[in-house]
Amino acid sequence: MLNSSLVKQGFIAAAIANISGVLIFSKGLTNTALMEADPVVMSSFGLIMIMVWGLAYLGAAFTPGNLRWIAGAFAVEKLVYVVCWLTWFSRDNLQAVYEQDLFAGIFYSIYGLNDAVFMVFFAWVYLKSASAAKG
């Protein structure tokens, strides 16, 4: 059985992580070191879109009913960010980012781990919702 309160809290936590994380570590979308370290994924547009995803998680948190497919889509979205983060680590220098800006360094140290945690959460919601639908 899927605990709807836990699911709601998880979706809200994901929203808070995306929105507040971007605003804090990007210093209100002004942290050029963060954006320059990965100008494709973490451009100002990319950071805004991360916050839009946060709004989608928040909307889902207050949506009654089965969230199976939206949770599945969110799990895939988080997987994409985890892969981007791992790719970034394989080709870029975290120490150089820390030397430019502490907040950018912390952001690149943790964002993929954060996304991995929420990816597992969303996948769990998807899988539990699928098994609950089977009876």
Side-chain angles (χ1 to χ4, degrees), residues 58-128:
L58 192 59
F62 294 97
T63 301
N66 188 332
L67 296 172
R68 176 182 179 196
W69 291 106
I70 194 74
F74 290 163
V76 171
E77 176 259 340
K78 288 298 188 187
L79 174 62
V80 169
Y81 279 97
V82 170
V83 169
C84 287
W85 181 68
L86 292 170
T87 301
W88 186 88
F89 260 94
S90 73
R91 63 174 163 70
D92 287 285
N93 183 343
L94 181 60
Q95 184 59 39
V97 176
Y98 269 103
E99 289 169 6
Q100 275 194 292
D101 182 81
L102 176 64
F103 277 48
I106 293 170
F107 179 83
Y108 281 98
S109 294
I110 64 173
Y111 98 78
L113 296 173
N114 175 76
D115 285 344
V117 167
F118 285 110
M119 177 187 69
V120 169
F121 168 74
F122 291 134
W124 173 78
V125 172
Y126 171 81
L127 294 170
K128 290 298 265 185

Side-chain angles (χ1 to χ4, degrees), residues 24-41:
I24 291 167
F25 291 106
S26 75
K27 301 176 183 177
L29 301 174
T30 65
N31 190 339
T32 57
L34 189 147
M35 296 177 210
E36 290 169 0
D38 191 345
V40 174
V41 178

